[in-house]
Amino acid sequence: MMGSTTSKPAFLRMPQVQDQTGLKKTYIYHLVSTGQFPAPIKLGKRAVAWLSEDIDNWIKERITNSQPPEPVTPNPVETAPLSFLDKRELKDIADELNRIRSEAKNAATLCEQDLYWIAEAEFQIFRIAKNIAGE
């Protein structure tokens, strides 16, 4: 019984919240206490309720968070055993980075993940070069 965004706010009592979420009362209060579930609104001395919109949004978040993440191409920097690189391998990696950067400039598109990988790889190359140089 999910409310729509065009309807006016409605209060849901505990049995309705349990029906909508499929969770037990004790677990709902546990989630409230840890900030993972909307807090109830005090209606009276011994009565509380939740806004239907808050519960709907919480359910939508769970659905969104349960979707599998986008596949990520492995970061070549993370897959290489960097501590075992020698000068030749370091130069090969630097050349590959320059090739990727050049292609990206030619394509005029560089996604955020590529920027991160390039920056991370450059940092690792710098760190390894310092170690090789004995600094």
Side-chain angles (χ1 to χ4, degrees):
M1 165 176 147
M2 291 177 58
S4 71
T5 55
T6 57
S7 66
K8 59 185 177 178
F11 288 122
L12 301 177
R13 300 297 301 266
M14 179 56 80
Q16 295 168 301
V17 173
Q18 287 177 286
D19 287 344
Q20 276 197 347
T21 62
L23 301 174
K24 298 288 183 189
K25 178 180 179 178
T26 311
Y27 192 60
I28 290 171
Y29 280 118
H30 167 74
L31 292 176
V32 168
S33 72
T34 60
Q36 300 176 60
F37 195 82
I41 297 167
K42 193 159 181 69
L43 299 178
K45 248 184 189 177
R46 297 180 54 196
V48 296
W50 284 261
L51 280 176
S52 59
E53 182 179 338
D54 289 347
I55 301 305
D56 291 345
N57 290 337
W58 184 87
I59 291 170
K60 288 174 189 169
E61 265 184 53
R62 297 294 79 62
I63 292 169
T64 301
N65 292 340
S66 72
Q67 302 301 318
E70 294 282 329
V72 177
T73 307
N75 179 348
V77 173
E78 291 173 358
T79 57
L82 295 176
S83 59
F84 298 104
L85 295 176
D86 61 18
K87 289 182 182 181
R88 180 187 49 79
E89 291 168 319
L90 195 58
K91 183 182 179 330
D92 290 345
I93 292 172
D95 290 344
E96 179 65 10
L97 279 173
N98 287 331
R99 185 192 63 74
I100 291 169
R101 184 182 288 115
S102 176
E103 284 180 12
K105 284 181 182 176
N106 291 340
T109 58
L110 193 59
C111 76
E112 184 175 320
Q113 190 174 34
D114 289 336
L115 286 171
Y116 170 79
W117 287 348
I118 289 170
E120 179 66 20
E122 287 173 338
F123 171 78
Q124 295 295 344
I125 288 170
F126 174 75
R127 183 179 59 79
I128 293 166
K130 271 182 80 173
N131 287 344
I132 289 172
E135 294 181 13

